[in-house]
Amino acid sequence: MRSHINAKTIVIATAIAAASLATSNAFAWSAAKIIAKAVAEVKNANSTTVAATGTVEVAFSPDEGAENLVIKVINSAHSSIHMLAYSFTSAPVTQALLDAKHRGVDVKLVADYENNLEVDRNGKFKSPKAVAALSALATAGVDVRTIKVYPIHHDKVILADQQSVELGSFNYSDAAAHRNSENVLVNWNNPALAKVYEGHFERNYARSQVFVNPRY
């Protein structure tokens, strides 16, 4: 079970509404009802608890091992890589996925459509590096898909062999590796956690579309 409720958003929004209503004593009771309802919704939000197991490895950026750890996860895969991405422009990550595909790993990638394939007013791609990276993967036979049912598909997740999970703030981009402050966390050998994230992956995969090289 996964939550579709952002608890912080609810609390902030209701606090603003309550503050506005509370400026008049006549509305104080209504404000209290709004807050009580928001608290109840937060308490009822679904989440998943998974037992701690395996080994946790972390790295950071800029240039503090984050990108290398991402590639380490990709290189560790023997049977499958399921990946969710927002920005996807990293040449080293693209090469690691190509290498995985060449050694027989089943590679599936779901990436945000707008951030990677959006065009400007002149019809030019805002991120030609993303188009090139996704095209290279698709040409090699990787199952590349894009998703645009959400305002932002902001996931950054890699599942390796349905055993290990990579996550964190790290976008798969040169900026994330060398300029931004980012983090990567890998939980090695935790199949229960991987199963939870696999469900999330499958949900987004089902809502995505097959990537078609826009240059042709």
Side-chain angles (χ1 to χ4, degrees), residues 177-197:
H178 305 297
R179 295 192 293 278
N180 300 344
S181 175
E182 308 280 1
N183 70 86
V184 173
L185 183 149
V186 180
N187 193 161
W188 297 101
N189 301 313
N190 189 338
L193 180 63
K195 183 177 180 179
V196 173
Y197 272 92

PDB file of all heavy atoms in Angstrom, residues 177-197:
ATOM      1  N   ALA A 177      25.940  15.120 -10.957  1.00  0.00           N
ATOM      2  CA  ALA A 177      27.215  14.490 -10.613  1.00  0.00           C
ATOM      3  C   ALA A 177      28.286  15.493 -10.233  1.00  0.00           C
ATOM      4  O   ALA A 177      29.071  15.247  -9.301  1.00  0.00           O
ATOM      5  CB  ALA A 177      27.700  13.637 -11.789  1.00  0.00           C
ATOM      6  N   HIS A 178      28.317  16.624 -10.914  1.00  0.00           N
ATOM      7  CA  HIS A 178      29.478  17.510 -10.797  1.00  0.00           C
ATOM      8  C   HIS A 178      29.194  18.922 -10.287  1.00  0.00           C
ATOM      9  O   HIS A 178      30.139  19.646  -9.969  1.00  0.00           O
ATOM     10  CB  HIS A 178      30.181  17.603 -12.147  1.00  0.00           C
ATOM     11  CG  HIS A 178      30.577  16.279 -12.708  1.00  0.00           C
ATOM     12  ND1 HIS A 178      31.496  15.456 -12.075  1.00  0.00           N
ATOM     13  CD2 HIS A 178      30.164  15.611 -13.816  1.00  0.00           C
ATOM     14  CE1 HIS A 178      31.640  14.349 -12.782  1.00  0.00           C
ATOM     15  NE2 HIS A 178      30.841  14.407 -13.843  1.00  0.00           N
ATOM     16  N   ARG A 179      27.916  19.329 -10.205  1.00  0.00           N
ATOM     17  CA  ARG A 179      27.639  20.692  -9.769  1.00  0.00           C
ATOM     18  C   ARG A 179      26.673  20.795  -8.592  1.00  0.00           C
ATOM     19  O   ARG A 179      26.863  21.637  -7.719  1.00  0.00           O
ATOM     20  CB  ARG A 179      27.085  21.516 -10.951  1.00  0.00           C
ATOM     21  CG  ARG A 179      28.103  21.694 -12.073  1.00  0.00           C
ATOM     22  CD  ARG A 179      27.661  22.743 -13.075  1.00  0.00           C
ATOM     23  NE  ARG A 179      26.476  22.337 -13.824  1.00  0.00           N
ATOM     24  CZ  ARG A 179      26.519  21.526 -14.895  1.00  0.00           C
ATOM     25  NH1 ARG A 179      27.672  21.024 -15.301  1.00  0.00           N
ATOM     26  NH2 ARG A 179      25.417  21.215 -15.546  1.00  0.00           N
ATOM     27  N   ASN A 180      25.676  19.973  -8.568  1.00  0.00           N
ATOM     28  CA  ASN A 180      24.646  20.087  -7.529  1.00  0.00           C
ATOM     29  C   ASN A 180      25.036  19.358  -6.249  1.00  0.00           C
ATOM     30  O   ASN A 180      25.848  18.436  -6.265  1.00  0.00           O
ATOM     31  CB  ASN A 180      23.323  19.505  -8.034  1.00  0.00           C
ATOM     32  CG  ASN A 180      22.801  20.210  -9.256  1.00  0.00           C
ATOM     33  OD1 ASN A 180      23.243  21.313  -9.580  1.00  0.00           O
ATOM     34  ND2 ASN A 180      21.874  19.578  -9.954  1.00  0.00           N
ATOM     35  N   SER A 181      24.405  19.753  -5.157  1.00  0.00           N
ATOM     36  CA  SER A 181      24.495  18.984  -3.914  1.00  0.00           C
ATOM     37  C   SER A 181      23.409  17.913  -3.959  1.00  0.00           C
ATOM     38  O   SER A 181      22.212  18.224  -3.986  1.00  0.00           O
ATOM     39  CB  SER A 181      24.284  19.895  -2.703  1.00  0.00           C
ATOM     40  OG  SER A 181      24.268  19.129  -1.506  1.00  0.00           O
ATOM     41  N   GLU A 182      23.815  16.655  -3.997  1.00  0.00           N
ATOM     42  CA  GLU A 182      22.883  15.535  -4.148  1.00  0.00           C
ATOM     43  C   GLU A 182      23.279  14.394  -3.219  1.00  0.00           C
ATOM     44  O   GLU A 182      24.377  14.392  -2.657  1.00  0.00           O
ATOM     45  CB  GLU A 182      22.881  15.020  -5.590  1.00  0.00           C
ATOM     46  CG  GLU A 182      22.660  16.058  -6.663  1.00  0.00           C
ATOM     47  CD  GLU A 182      21.205  16.451  -6.855  1.00  0.00           C
ATOM     48  OE1 GLU A 182      20.336  15.934  -6.126  1.00  0.00           O
ATOM     49  OE2 GLU A 182      20.945  17.275  -7.753  1.00  0.00           O
ATOM     50  N   ASN A 183      22.382  13.426  -3.098  1.00  0.00           N
ATOM     51  CA  ASN A 183      22.699  12.233  -2.311  1.00  0.00           C
ATOM     52  C   ASN A 183      22.177  10.992  -3.004  1.00  0.00           C
ATOM     53  O   ASN A 183      21.180  11.040  -3.728  1.00  0.00           O
ATOM     54  CB  ASN A 183      22.111  12.345  -0.898  1.00  0.00           C
ATOM     55  CG  ASN A 183      20.596  12.253  -0.892  1.00  0.00           C
ATOM     56  OD1 ASN A 183      20.012  11.170  -0.857  1.00  0.00           O
ATOM     57  ND2 ASN A 183      19.943  13.418  -0.934  1.00  0.00           N
ATOM     58  N   VAL A 184      22.868   9.897  -2.793  1.00  0.00           N
ATOM     59  CA  VAL A 184      22.461   8.581  -3.289  1.00  0.00           C
ATOM     60  C   VAL A 184      22.516   7.602  -2.126  1.00  0.00           C
ATOM     61  O   VAL A 184      23.491   7.586  -1.366  1.00  0.00           O
ATOM     62  CB  VAL A 184      23.395   8.079  -4.414  1.00  0.00           C
ATOM     63  CG1 VAL A 184      23.065   6.632  -4.788  1.00  0.00           C
ATOM     64  CG2 VAL A 184      23.283   8.973  -5.640  1.00  0.00           C
ATOM     65  N   LEU A 185      21.468   6.807  -1.981  1.00  0.00           N
ATOM     66  CA  LEU A 185      21.431   5.769  -0.955  1.00  0.00           C
ATOM     67  C   LEU A 185      21.076   4.452  -1.628  1.00  0.00           C
ATOM     68  O   LEU A 185      20.129   4.392  -2.415  1.00  0.00           O
ATOM     69  CB  LEU A 185      20.408   6.106   0.130  1.00  0.00           C
ATOM     70  CG  LEU A 185      20.321   5.133   1.317  1.00  0.00           C
ATOM     71  CD1 LEU A 185      19.926   5.874   2.595  1.00  0.00           C
ATOM     72  CD2 LEU A 185      19.324   3.994   1.061  1.00  0.00           C
ATOM     73  N   VAL A 186      21.838   3.423  -1.317  1.00  0.00           N
ATOM     74  CA  VAL A 186      21.571   2.085  -1.840  1.00  0.00           C
ATOM     75  C   VAL A 186      21.357   1.130  -0.682  1.00  0.00           C
ATOM     76  O   VAL A 186      22.182   1.053   0.236  1.00  0.00           O
ATOM     77  CB  VAL A 186      22.739   1.574  -2.712  1.00  0.00           C
ATOM     78  CG1 VAL A 186      22.422   0.173  -3.240  1.00  0.00           C
ATOM     79  CG2 VAL A 186      23.013   2.534  -3.865  1.00  0.00           C
ATOM     80  N   ASN A 187      20.241   0.427  -0.728  1.00  0.00           N
ATOM     81  CA  ASN A 187      20.006  -0.664   0.217  1.00  0.00           C
ATOM     82  C   ASN A 187      20.262  -1.963  -0.552  1.00  0.00           C
ATOM     83  O   ASN A 187      19.433  -2.396  -1.349  1.00  0.00           O
ATOM     84  CB  ASN A 187      18.571  -0.624   0.753  1.00  0.00           C
ATOM     85  CG  ASN A 187      18.344  -1.522   1.957  1.00  0.00           C
ATOM     86  OD1 ASN A 187      17.377  -1.353   2.699  1.00  0.00           O
ATOM     87  ND2 ASN A 187      19.235  -2.492   2.192  1.00  0.00           N
ATOM     88  N   TRP A 188      21.444  -2.521  -0.326  1.00  0.00           N
ATOM     89  CA  TRP A 188      21.810  -3.764  -0.994  1.00  0.00           C
ATOM     90  C   TRP A 188      21.107  -4.947  -0.339  1.00  0.00           C
ATOM     91  O   TRP A 188      21.007  -5.020   0.892  1.00  0.00           O
ATOM     92  CB  TRP A 188      23.318  -3.990  -0.913  1.00  0.00           C
ATOM     93  CG  TRP A 188      24.166  -2.958  -1.590  1.00  0.00           C
ATOM     94  CD1 TRP A 188      24.837  -1.921  -1.005  1.00  0.00           C
ATOM     95  CD2 TRP A 188      24.448  -2.857  -2.995  1.00  0.00           C
ATOM     96  NE1 TRP A 188      25.512  -1.184  -1.936  1.00  0.00           N
ATOM     97  CE2 TRP A 188      25.300  -1.735  -3.176  1.00  0.00           C
ATOM     98  CE3 TRP A 188      24.075  -3.598  -4.113  1.00  0.00           C
ATOM     99  CZ2 TRP A 188      25.778  -1.345  -4.421  1.00  0.00           C
ATOM    100  CZ3 TRP A 188      24.550  -3.229  -5.358  1.00  0.00           C
ATOM    101  CH2 TRP A 188      25.394  -2.115  -5.501  1.00  0.00           C
ATOM    102  N   ASN A 189      20.644  -5.865  -1.157  1.00  0.00           N
ATOM    103  CA  ASN A 189      20.121  -7.151  -0.682  1.00  0.00           C
ATOM    104  C   ASN A 189      18.980  -6.998   0.316  1.00  0.00           C
ATOM    105  O   ASN A 189      19.004  -7.545   1.422  1.00  0.00           O
ATOM    106  CB  ASN A 189      21.243  -7.992  -0.069  1.00  0.00           C
ATOM    107  CG  ASN A 189      22.354  -8.259  -1.060  1.00  0.00           C
ATOM    108  OD1 ASN A 189      22.101  -8.634  -2.204  1.00  0.00           O
ATOM    109  ND2 ASN A 189      23.595  -8.043  -0.638  1.00  0.00           N
ATOM    110  N   ASN A 190      17.969  -6.248  -0.096  1.00  0.00           N
ATOM    111  CA  ASN A 190      16.734  -6.139   0.683  1.00  0.00           C
ATOM    112  C   ASN A 190      15.570  -6.393  -0.276  1.00  0.00           C
ATOM    113  O   ASN A 190      14.932  -5.457  -0.764  1.00  0.00           O
ATOM    114  CB  ASN A 190      16.614  -4.759   1.333  1.00  0.00           C
ATOM    115  CG  ASN A 190      15.453  -4.681   2.328  1.00  0.00           C
ATOM    116  OD1 ASN A 190      14.512  -5.472   2.248  1.00  0.00           O
ATOM    117  ND2 ASN A 190      15.516  -3.740   3.245  1.00  0.00           N
ATOM    118  N   PRO A 191      15.271  -7.659  -0.562  1.00  0.00           N
ATOM    119  CA  PRO A 191      14.226  -7.983  -1.536  1.00  0.00           C
ATOM    120  C   PRO A 191      12.842  -7.502  -1.126  1.00  0.00           C
ATOM    121  O   PRO A 191      12.012  -7.206  -2.000  1.00  0.00           O
ATOM    122  CB  PRO A 191      14.285  -9.513  -1.635  1.00  0.00           C
ATOM    123  CG  PRO A 191      14.989  -9.958  -0.382  1.00  0.00           C
ATOM    124  CD  PRO A 191      15.943  -8.867  -0.043  1.00  0.00           C
ATOM    125  N   ALA A 192      12.573  -7.409   0.171  1.00  0.00           N
ATOM    126  CA  ALA A 192      11.261  -6.919   0.605  1.00  0.00           C
ATOM    127  C   ALA A 192      11.079  -5.452   0.222  1.00  0.00           C
ATOM    128  O   ALA A 192      10.016  -5.038  -0.244  1.00  0.00           O
ATOM    129  CB  ALA A 192      11.112  -7.090   2.115  1.00  0.00           C
ATOM    130  N   LEU A 193      12.131  -4.663   0.406  1.00  0.00           N
ATOM    131  CA  LEU A 193      12.069  -3.259   0.000  1.00  0.00           C
ATOM    132  C   LEU A 193      11.978  -3.151  -1.519  1.00  0.00           C
ATOM    133  O   LEU A 193      11.213  -2.339  -2.060  1.00  0.00           O
ATOM    134  CB  LEU A 193      13.304  -2.517   0.502  1.00  0.00           C
ATOM    135  CG  LEU A 193      13.381  -1.024   0.155  1.00  0.00           C
ATOM    136  CD1 LEU A 193      12.243  -0.264   0.800  1.00  0.00           C
ATOM    137  CD2 LEU A 193      14.739  -0.445   0.578  1.00  0.00           C
ATOM    138  N   ALA A 194      12.750  -3.970  -2.221  1.00  0.00           N
ATOM    139  CA  ALA A 194      12.709  -3.967  -3.682  1.00  0.00           C
ATOM    140  C   ALA A 194      11.311  -4.314  -4.189  1.00  0.00           C
ATOM    141  O   ALA A 194      10.843  -3.743  -5.183  1.00  0.00           O
ATOM    142  CB  ALA A 194      13.735  -4.949  -4.234  1.00  0.00           C
ATOM    143  N   LYS A 195      10.620  -5.204  -3.511  1.00  0.00           N
ATOM    144  CA  LYS A 195       9.268  -5.588  -3.913  1.00  0.00           C
ATOM    145  C   LYS A 195       8.314  -4.414  -3.799  1.00  0.00           C
ATOM    146  O   LYS A 195       7.443  -4.213  -4.658  1.00  0.00           O
ATOM    147  CB  LYS A 195       8.786  -6.759  -3.060  1.00  0.00           C
ATOM    148  CG  LYS A 195       7.410  -7.279  -3.464  1.00  0.00           C
ATOM    149  CD  LYS A 195       7.006  -8.487  -2.632  1.00  0.00           C
ATOM    150  CE  LYS A 195       5.639  -9.005  -3.047  1.00  0.00           C
ATOM    151  NZ  LYS A 195       5.244 -10.202  -2.245  1.00  0.00           N
ATOM    152  N   VAL A 196       8.456  -3.633  -2.743  1.00  0.00           N
ATOM    153  CA  VAL A 196       7.607  -2.449  -2.568  1.00  0.00           C
ATOM    154  C   VAL A 196       7.843  -1.463  -3.718  1.00  0.00           C
ATOM    155  O   VAL A 196       6.900  -0.956  -4.330  1.00  0.00           O
ATOM    156  CB  VAL A 196       7.882  -1.775  -1.217  1.00  0.00           C
ATOM    157  CG1 VAL A 196       7.120  -0.451  -1.116  1.00  0.00           C
ATOM    158  CG2 VAL A 196       7.483  -2.699  -0.069  1.00  0.00           C
ATOM    159  N   TYR A 197       9.107  -1.199  -3.999  1.00  0.00           N
ATOM    160  CA  TYR A 197       9.435  -0.272  -5.075  1.00  0.00           C
ATOM    161  C   TYR A 197       9.082  -0.839  -6.442  1.00  0.00           C
ATOM    162  O   TYR A 197       8.778  -0.081  -7.370  1.00  0.00           O
ATOM    163  CB  TYR A 197      10.915   0.116  -5.012  1.00  0.00           C
ATOM    164  CG  TYR A 197      11.160   1.296  -4.114  1.00  0.00           C
ATOM    165  CD1 TYR A 197      11.462   1.120  -2.773  1.00  0.00           C
ATOM    166  CD2 TYR A 197      11.061   2.602  -4.600  1.00  0.00           C
ATOM    167  CE1 TYR A 197      11.677   2.203  -1.930  1.00  0.00           C
ATOM    168  CE2 TYR A 197      11.270   3.693  -3.777  1.00  0.00           C
ATOM    169  CZ  TYR A 197      11.576   3.484  -2.450  1.00  0.00           C
ATOM    170  OH  TYR A 197      11.773   4.565  -1.617  1.00  0.00           O
TER     171      TYR A 197
END
